[in-house]
Amino acid sequence: MAFPFLCVLQKFYASILNFGSLNIDYTYSLEHIVQPGETITFRSLEVFPGGKGLNQSIALARAGANVYHAGLIGSDGEFLRDICRESGVKTEYIRETEKRTGNAIIQVSEEGQNCIILYPGANREQTEAYIDEVLKGFSAGDILLLQNEINLLHYLISEGVKKGMKIALNPSPFDEKITTCDLSKVSLFLINEVEGEQITGEKDPEQILQKMEMLYPGAETVLTLGDKGAVYGNGTERIRQEPVRVKAVDTTAAGDTFTGYYLASVMEGKTKAQAMKEAACAAALAVSKKGASSSVPWRRDVERILIQG
Ligand code: RIB
């Protein structure tokens, strides 16, 4: 039987701690994404606040959730703390280190597709002492949201579970670090088709969900399918969400926006079907604008789309 993840939230008004990356995104707009051996001149370069962790915290906060962000920046990354604060994210656990802030080099094509190179920088400077200090502020029933752009992910999962926190994991970008984590401790997986295949070896969405249920019984999975929508599975039910069609300008942070809005809506006590719908609308709005966290919509804009049907 599926673990009643997040029902706990409704009862006790738990907090969400998002322990995640903060990046400076250098976004290069090009006609097409550069091929091996090719040199092309870009059309424009813009600098945006980003990082999967930061984007998801901003989506949670703009959706109305009570979210704390923890993570590390260098002295060049203070504006990332500012944008978190301006969006309503609680920033007291964000710390500055000697190392420069993580950054991403992002190419965005005319069709709005992207590819990303990451420099982890301060994001990989987490220590067990820092994690222990942050976790002291949280207790049983709180949610710990994680992605895979920071170090000590395995430690965060095991220490979070020891405290009775529920782990929500977006295993992105997927690499061998994920395989060192005890994924049986995860209550909610938020994955796309590529990560689904990397974890399960399956390509077909239904097969991915069935394999997730076999490997991690009791966990819930939200599987996003790009322009094919999204599907939720928990061992006993499936909830399908149709795609919300928009002209893609920049797909960066679409998945992060989906994650933040899905969690925020469920925390508010909405049904999973409603949460999937709101998350899909929010992600569509993010895709229709340039940038990572700068493209994450506010709740009022998502509601306007929902009212229009
Ligand atoms: O998910 C989008 C994010 O991935 C970007 O903001 C970039 O920083 C990378 O972390």
Side-chain angles (χ1 to χ4, degrees):
M1 208 180 94
F3 189 88
F5 181 70
L6 296 176
C7 296
V8 184
L9 288 176
Q10 288 152 249
K11 271 199 227 149
F12 300 110
Y13 302 100
S15 307
I16 283 210
L17 167 64
N18 183 8
F19 220 121
S21 59
L22 301 107
N23 288 339
I24 302 173
D25 287 356
Y26 297 96
T27 302
Y28 295 82
S29 299
L30 312 137
E31 187 200 17
H32 62 268
I33 285 166
V34 70
Q35 302 297 305
E38 186 185 26
T39 302
I40 42 178
T41 305
F42 59 85
R43 293 180 171 168
S44 67
L45 165 62
E46 285 155 287
V47 182
F48 293 109
K52 290 186 197 306
L54 175 143
N55 298 337
Q56 291 178 20
S57 281
I58 285 186
L60 275 153
R62 290 188 181 174
N66 180 32
V67 56
Y68 293 80
H69 190 93
L72 301 173
I73 50 175
S75 56
D76 53 341
E78 274 306 322
F79 76 102
L80 301 177
R81 196 199 305 260
D82 295 341
I83 187 177
C84 283
R85 203 179 289 125
E86 286 157 16
S87 296
V89 178
K90 309 251 179 16
T91 59
E92 55 260 45
Y93 296 113
I94 297 176
R95 301 271 188 278
E96 198 180 301
T97 62
E98 300 279 293
K99 201 119 188 209
R100 64 184 282 194
T101 303
N103 69 56
I105 298 195
I106 305 181
Q107 297 180 41
V108 179
S109 73
E110 265 179 359
E111 285 79 42
Q113 295 308 311
N114 69 30
C115 72
I116 303 179
I117 302 174
L118 278 180
Y119 163 73
N123 293 314
R124 292 246 176 105
E125 295 294 297
Q126 256 85 217
T127 60
E128 293 186 0
Y130 167 52
I131 290 171
D132 293 346
E133 184 198 322
V134 173
L135 291 183
K136 269 190 208 145
F138 296 85
S139 51
D142 287 338
I143 304 303
L144 178 57
L145 172 61
L146 301 166
Q147 313 77 29
N148 190 29
E149 288 185 347
I150 57 170
N151 63 320
L152 293 180
L153 199 62
H154 63 287
Y155 184 76
L156 272 157
I157 293 176
S158 63
E159 293 308 296
V161 166
K162 272 187 207 160
K163 287 199 76 103
M165 295 176 84
K166 303 293 167 214
I167 311 294
L169 176 68
N170 169 220
S172 178
F174 187 92
D175 62 22
E176 71 294 335
K177 249 193 317 136
I178 294 289
T179 57
T180 67
C181 298
D182 183 357
L183 297 184
S184 68
K185 294 186 164 142
V186 173
S187 298
L188 172 66
F189 292 93
L190 300 129
I191 56 177
N192 63 23
E193 272 170 304
V194 177
E195 291 137 14
E197 185 183 347
Q198 286 162 323
I199 296 175
T200 65
E202 302 290 345
K203 275 188 179 352
D204 173 70
E206 179 54 32
Q207 298 300 318
I208 291 174
L209 286 180
Q210 285 183 19
K211 193 79 177 274
M212 289 297 289
E213 288 161 353
M214 203 185 84
L215 293 170
Y216 309 111
E220 297 174 280
T221 300
V222 173
L223 175 63
T224 55
L225 304 168
D227 60 7
K228 294 188 287 313
V231 55
Y232 164 93
N234 68 359
T236 52
E237 63 177 325
R238 293 281 179 270
I239 300 168
R240 282 168 223 290
Q241 172 60 47
E242 291 303 313
V244 176
R245 305 249 175 237
V246 283
K247 179 173 164 20
V249 173
D250 180 358
T251 54
T252 314
D256 299 331
T257 304
F258 193 103
T259 291
Y261 264 82
Y262 176 80
L263 283 167
S265 301
V266 177
M267 283 174 72
E268 256 185 61
K270 293 183 176 156
T271 63
K272 294 193 181 88
Q274 183 66 15
M276 296 274 283
K277 194 170 178 186
E278 293 182 4
C281 284
L285 284 174
V287 162
S288 61
K289 240 179 119 181
K290 247 192 186 172
S293 58
S294 327
S295 72
V296 175
W298 289 83
R299 170 68 83 185
R300 59 180 174 273
D301 300 315
V302 175
E303 259 150 27
R304 207 171 299 133
I305 303 273
L306 287 165
I307 289 165
Q308 287 163 9

